[in-house]
Amino acid sequence: MVQAVATQSASPGAGAFAILFGLESMGRAFVTAALPIQTLEILGSDEGVSQLYLLGALTSIAMAFVIPRLALWMGRARMCSLAILGVALAYALFSFHELPTQVSGFMLRAC
């Protein structure tokens, strides 16, 4: 009986998921305004920025089909943690101001 109580308290609750979701959302919001300007500086044209955003949107749609399967396989807490790490890696890639890292960062951020 004591062991059952210990395993229940060790599992993450709604508060843990809310904190992870909030951190992930805050990470996305910090650079939303600066990202199009940096992309325009790197690509040099509005069309290039639009194409890169289209690529990010298509990646996001594709990942919408994959993420539920990954969440079942990995678990929700690990999935949220992976999302936070992915966003952090995407923003690290954006800091290089190069076209390949910008594209990789966009696709990773869309995931």
Side-chain angles (χ1 to χ4, degrees), residues 31-92:
V31 297
T32 299
L35 197 54
I37 297 167
Q38 177 183 343
T39 305
L40 180 61
E41 182 181 299
I42 292 170
L43 295 175
S45 70
D46 293 338
E47 292 83 14
V49 175
S50 295
Q51 289 171 352
L52 189 55
Y53 269 87
L54 176 64
L55 179 65
L58 292 175
T59 302
S60 182
I61 290 171
M63 289 306 292
F65 293 108
V66 175
I67 286 175
R69 297 271 182 189
L70 282 174
L72 285 174
W73 181 67
M74 295 176 67
R76 291 178 293 178
R78 286 191 180 128
M79 194 69 191
C80 287
S81 298
L82 183 64
I84 291 170
L85 291 174
V87 169
L89 179 61
Y91 296 147

